[in-house]
Amino acid sequence: MQFIFIGGAPRSGTTLLLNLLESHPDIVGFPFEHKTFEQYFWHNGDINYLRENFIKNSREGQQAILSSEYLINEYVRKIRGYYGKEFSVDIDPKLFLATYLNRLSISCGSLQDVFDGLAQGILDSNSFALSKKERLEYFCFKQPYFTELFAKETSKELPEARFIHVVRNPIARYTSAKKRFLDIYGHAKNPVHINRQNTVFAHAEVDVTSYELALKNQRNIGGQRYLIVKYEELVSNVDVTMNKISKWLKLTPHYGWKTSRLGEEADAGSSYVTRRGVDEAAASRNEQYLRITNQAEREYHQYLLTKSKIGKLYGIESHVNTKMLIRFVLNFFYKESLGQYVYRLLTVFNNIRVLSFGSKALPERVKKKNAGLSGAI
């Protein structure tokens, strides 16, 4: 059994790709995002940690949710409340936990052992996954951003692993992320902070560094193991793109891109998608972008992206002038306390400096525990 790891900035289509891949009869996927990469490397493969908090404490990652009936029920309740739609997790938590712990009990706690335990846990505890076990070729995991952040280390420990990075137009991705934030939390139209960082910078930082890391990983790991897929191509022509991915994986192309990990039709996971299946209109969010942002916000956002590689990929241009800077300085003030307003002004020019000149150094910073990005991941 080989592993596929899906990465990309959050809201880039990683959930959609996982569901589409899992419609292939030779692929099974892990149903939640996991935190294996960061937790494993941050804890230096500590076997005691991997047998305890990693798999039993939900704060350590969504993989722990599957080990407890209570945590599964709480997660289902939360998702139903957020999105107002039916949601279920067809997992036997006792079987999942027992299988994982059994694998770790006979191992030294290598990264291979952890992923073997998680994968085998799903195969033993989910009937749909079990039905595909006989012809299984790949087991697929998805984790936005941290997949590309630790791809180099992972590729050395798992030399057969494949990586797929999904890149999406930052305008559409920002719109999707902000719309989801507003839908769930019901904040004001212009939320201005994520973990004490300006919202616009927080998302631009993730877009810039995520794509930069993907390009670097593809060069270092090689195109045979590291593939970059554009979200827009995935949703506009799913058959062509998925056939390309199947051939890259050396699998027979499969045309029924409908069935997700629970045996249901694939769902893009986007707050804009009201029906199941692939939403071709999701490729562009320009109308929604204009509706939920203001002019100063858009100008600042596009300015942060214009010098980056992902900005050039999508033709994002910004024309900075005095009026734009004045608008941004004055904007939001009536929705912020004086302290927040001053804090934002003090950080904004440093934000511009970081993304313009220091983005290559950011990944090394976030590889350290408790020294993460601005909060958009």
Side-chain angles (χ1 to χ4, degrees):
M1 181 171 57
Q2 301 178 65
F3 296 122
I4 303 169
F5 298 115
I6 299 174
R11 313 303 297 172
S12 289
T14 55
T15 300
L16 173 61
L17 179 59
L18 174 65
N19 284 342
L20 291 173
L21 279 172
E22 209 173 25
S23 70
H24 197 287
D26 299 337
I27 300 175
V28 169
F30 194 74
F32 289 164
E33 291 180 5
H34 62 103
K35 286 194 175 182
T36 309
F37 297 122
E38 61 266 44
Q39 300 293 14
Y40 178 85
F41 289 109
W42 284 342
H43 289 86
N44 298 312
D46 182 352
I47 187 66
N48 291 323
Y49 167 79
L50 295 170
R51 290 171 181 165
E52 294 297 329
N53 282 353
F54 173 75
I55 198 63
K56 297 177 182 179
N57 187 342
S58 61
R59 293 183 179 180
E60 304 297 288
Q62 290 187 347
Q63 69 281 344
I65 293 174
L66 298 177
S67 68
S68 163
E69 185 174 358
Y70 170 78
L71 292 176
I72 289 176
N73 290 337
E74 282 298 295
Y75 183 81
V76 168
R77 182 185 62 80
K78 182 176 71 172
I79 294 299
R80 286 175 175 171
Y82 281 171
Y83 299 108
K85 64 180 182 181
E86 284 301 306
F87 185 82
S88 63
V89 179
D90 179 21
I91 298 289
D92 183 328
K94 290 182 179 179
L95 271 177
F96 173 80
L97 180 61
T99 301
Y100 173 83
L101 291 177
N102 182 61
R103 184 70 185 88
L104 268 290
S105 69
I106 57 174
S107 75
C108 60
S110 69
L111 190 61
Q112 177 81 47
D113 292 329
V114 175
F115 280 117
D116 281 347
L118 294 174
Q120 192 62 51
I122 295 299
L123 293 172
D124 287 353
S125 63
N126 173 253
S127 57
F128 180 66
L130 182 62
S131 70
K132 302 171 76 174
K133 188 173 181 178
E134 291 301 316
R135 57 178 294 171
L136 182 64
E137 295 286 342
Y138 290 97
F139 199 98
C140 188
F141 292 87
K142 78 113 171 175
Q143 169 73 333
Y145 199 84
F146 285 102
T147 296
E148 48 265 36
L149 188 64
F150 288 101
K152 181 179 178 181
E153 292 87 344
T154 302
S155 67
K156 291 178 180 179
E157 294 211 21
L158 303 173
E160 301 298 321
R162 302 288 190 103
F163 301 83
I164 305 178
H165 178 90
V166 187
V167 60
R168 186 181 188 182
N169 188 321
I171 302 298
R173 197 197 71 78
Y174 179 79
T175 305
S176 179
K178 185 172 181 180
K179 179 66 164 57
R180 185 189 188 200
F181 183 87
L182 295 175
D183 285 347
I184 292 176
Y185 298 106
H187 284 197
K189 185 178 180 181
N190 299 308
V192 294
H193 290 102
I194 297 179
N195 293 356
R196 294 182 59 80
Q197 280 289 355
N198 179 275
T199 301
V200 182
F201 170 75
H203 284 287
E205 180 186 48
V206 170
D207 276 314
V208 170
T209 58
S210 177
Y211 185 58
E212 202 166 85
L213 272 169
L215 293 174
K216 184 178 180 180
N217 288 333
Q218 191 176 58
R219 290 194 302 269
N220 293 337
I221 299 173
Q224 296 299 315
R225 295 182 60 197
Y226 201 102
L227 181 68
I228 297 176
V229 175
K230 291 183 74 173
Y231 173 83
E232 293 76 20
E233 294 176 358
L234 179 64
V235 298
S236 63
N237 201 332
V238 64
D239 283 338
V240 171
T241 305
M242 294 307 296
N243 284 339
K244 173 184 173 183
I245 294 174
S246 293
K247 291 178 181 178
W248 180 75
L249 293 170
K250 299 181 180 179
L251 296 175
T252 302
H254 174 70
Y255 293 92
W257 309 114
K258 295 288 185 181
T259 308
S260 72
R261 60 185 171 271
L262 298 178
E264 300 172 351
E265 292 184 359
D267 191 342
S270 168
S271 57
Y272 286 107
V273 176
T274 55
R275 60 178 179 79
R276 292 188 179 277
V278 180
D279 182 11
E280 294 184 11
S284 174
R285 292 295 183 209
N286 291 335
E287 181 182 339
Q288 293 91 342
Y289 184 66
L290 293 173
R291 189 166 65 243
I292 66 174
T293 60
N294 58 51
Q295 186 173 354
E297 183 180 2
R298 292 191 293 273
E299 288 173 337
Y300 179 43
H301 184 217
Q302 291 170 38
Y303 176 75
L304 291 171
L305 295 165
T306 190
K307 295 183 180 181
S308 67
K309 292 176 182 177
I310 193 169
K312 293 177 181 177
L313 175 69
Y314 285 99
I316 298 173
E317 297 181 356
S318 176
H319 304 284
V320 181
N321 54 49
T322 303
K323 289 183 179 179
M324 186 214 94
L325 292 175
I326 292 174
R327 276 197 299 270
F328 182 76
V329 167
L330 296 178
N331 188 54
F332 298 136
F333 178 64
Y334 70 99
K335 294 190 176 185
E336 295 179 272
S337 68
L338 181 60
Q340 288 177 324
Y341 177 71
V342 172
Y343 177 80
R344 179 168 59 80
L345 293 187
L346 290 175
T347 59
V348 63
F349 291 106
N350 181 60
N351 294 165
I352 292 172
R353 179 191 64 79
V354 167
L355 280 194
S356 297
F357 307 108
S359 59
K360 292 182 179 179
L362 286 172
E364 295 303 319
R365 167 166 65 84
V366 297
K367 283 188 178 182
K368 299 178 182 178
K369 190 176 182 181
N370 300 324
L373 289 171
S374 52
I377 58 172

